[in-house]
Amino acid sequence: MIEVRNLSKVYTTKKGTVTGVDAVSLKINKGEVFGIVGYSGAGKSSLLRCLNLLEKPTSGQVLINGVELTALSNRELRSQRLKIGMIFQHFHLVSSKTVFENVSFALKAARKSSKEIEARVTELLGLVGLSDKRDVYPSQLSGGQKQRVGIARALANNPAVLLCDEATSALDPGTTKAILGLLKEINKKLGLTIVLITHEMEVVKEICDRMAVMQDGKIVEEGNVYEIFSNPTQPLTQQFISTVLQFDLPPHLLENPAGTIIKIQFKGSIAEESVVSDVFQKFKVRGNILHGKIEYIQEIPLGIFVMELIGEQSEIAKAINYITERTKSLEVIHHAA
């Protein structure tokens, strides 16, 4: 659906050249939600804007549905851009125009008739839940409502691809969840391919099928969201995942533990099994759960528990072996002195 081949974007500044995107190659499948994660300056916004050539790549190719955008004339590119919608962090609505007029802008640019515009805008405002706001101005809307207008505007010309440039970063958590739910609904209902950039792993966890992590203009890790959350291989990815799944124990818990402190990761169906209670029945150990959390990613459970096992060392060793066999993921954090 979307293919990026050896793409680079170099900016020329007064201090010299800056590489925003560095030889990136990427494939995004039709109908999936793909997240691009990175801190500020990682190159994710530059890469996203290269997908519709708002930023012209310095080198490399961008193909959407087999059409090489980087080889098109300006007129041909304008035509192809009608198939690529885009929503922005700060909405970019025209303050002097009503909701209806903001959404109809792209349709007028595509030379649609008044009748077509009326029907399409009415349909879109119903889709995003703003039918009662068609004649109000952006200043009368909340942040979430403004973003819904932006989504409706981006969908006006029935695009095959929707690009989201930090679409929820300016919103509060509750509104963010509602907007992500709307994007997920649109993805399923319309079969849209959605590409979003973010620095928030909660956003990726909530909506994405696959993801890529960027650093210094390069993709350092890429794959299925669940697999990356459950087994991140790169330090930067581990750092991002820690904002959602990991936790630091208070130092005093590690100073003089009565037993052995372990961290267990439960993946998939094993998270719903009685592994911990089985351990207490099978072995002569007691346990204190120090911390625990289960997240559902792509509707699949992923759990992390930190617990202290207390008892004879031989029994603790047996318990650890048993848990390791069941979960395939156990780390000893601290042994009692």
Side-chain angles (χ1 to χ4, degrees), residues 14-309:
K14 292 180 180 179
K15 295 182 179 180
T17 59
V18 177
T19 300
V21 182
D22 190 358
V24 166
S25 293
L26 183 66
K27 286 186 179 180
I28 299 171
N29 301 318
K30 178 178 174 61
E32 76 177 353
V33 182
F34 191 92
I36 301 173
V37 182
Y39 289 121
S40 179
K44 58 188 188 297
S45 290
S46 294
L47 175 58
L48 188 82
R49 289 169 177 265
C50 282
L51 296 183
N52 60 0
L53 268 63
L54 283 181
E55 294 277 6
K56 188 174 181 181
T58 305
S59 61
Q61 299 170 294
V62 177
L63 293 86
I64 295 184
N65 281 337
V67 177
E68 186 184 343
L69 301 189
T70 38
L72 299 180
S73 66
N74 288 337
R75 182 179 62 81
E76 291 170 329
L77 180 58
R78 284 194 295 271
S79 176
Q80 287 297 316
R81 277 190 180 138
L82 294 176
K83 303 173 184 177
I84 308 171
M86 190 165 188
I87 58 177
F88 304 89
Q89 177 180 1
H90 296 296
F91 321 126
H92 290 189
L93 303 181
V94 181
S95 60
S96 61
K97 294 187 179 295
T98 65
V99 166
F100 183 94
E101 291 168 333
N102 268 280
V103 177
S104 67
F105 181 82
L107 293 164
K108 289 179 179 178
R111 301 180 184 278
K112 300 295 183 181
S113 68
S114 297
K115 185 177 180 180
E116 289 175 307
I117 291 173
E118 173 69 30
R120 182 60 176 156
V121 175
T122 299
E123 177 189 4
L124 288 168
L125 292 182
L127 177 66
V128 301
L130 292 178
S131 295
D132 61 334
K133 303 294 183 183
R134 59 174 283 155
D135 296 320
V136 306
Y137 291 87
S139 62
Q140 299 170 273
L141 301 175
S142 67
Q145 289 170 332
K146 289 176 183 178
Q147 194 58 284
R148 287 172 184 268
V149 176
I151 292 170
R153 179 183 57 192
L155 297 176
N157 285 305
N158 292 300
V161 175
L162 182 61
L163 306 180
C164 305
D165 188 358
E166 295 276 12
T168 60
S169 293
L171 305 175
D172 63 76
T175 305
T176 291
K177 193 171 184 67
I179 292 297
L180 292 177
L182 175 61
L183 290 174
K184 205 169 187 177
E185 178 186 345
I186 288 168
N187 166 252
K188 291 182 177 179
K189 184 178 291 186
L190 305 181
L192 272 179
T193 302
I194 297 179
V195 184
L196 61 86
I197 63 169
T198 184
H199 59 273
E200 300 170 294
M201 291 303 290
E202 282 285 355
V203 171
V204 174
K205 178 178 73 69
E206 186 74 23
I207 191 176
C208 293
D209 302 305
R210 291 196 306 124
M211 63 180 287
V213 181
M214 288 193 72
Q215 183 176 32
D216 299 328
K218 297 178 179 291
I219 290 178
V220 297
E221 191 159 1
E222 177 190 349
N224 175 276
V225 167
Y226 188 91
E227 292 304 319
I228 287 182
F229 265 75
S230 62
N231 187 33
T233 61
Q234 298 299 312
L236 178 62
T237 311
Q238 293 165 2
Q239 188 175 339
F240 271 115
I241 299 299
S242 71
T243 64
V244 177
L245 285 182
Q246 303 295 330
F247 30 74
D248 294 322
L249 291 176
H252 73 271
L253 291 178
L254 301 176
E255 288 174 359
N256 295 295
T260 298
I261 297 177
I262 61 174
K263 181 171 75 172
I264 316 163
Q265 188 175 77
F266 298 91
K267 300 179 185 179
S269 61
I270 194 71
E272 298 170 340
E273 296 180 12
S274 57
V275 176
V276 173
S277 61
D278 289 349
V279 165
F280 298 145
Q281 292 179 20
K282 289 177 178 291
F283 308 101
K284 295 177 181 179
V285 294
R286 292 178 290 115
N288 296 322
I289 293 180
L290 305 177
H291 218 315
K293 189 174 189 179
I294 294 180
E295 294 282 356
Y296 282 81
I297 302 166
Q298 299 172 337
E299 300 183 358
I300 305 171
L302 176 63
I304 295 179
F305 283 81
V306 177
M307 62 185 299
E308 183 180 29
L309 295 177

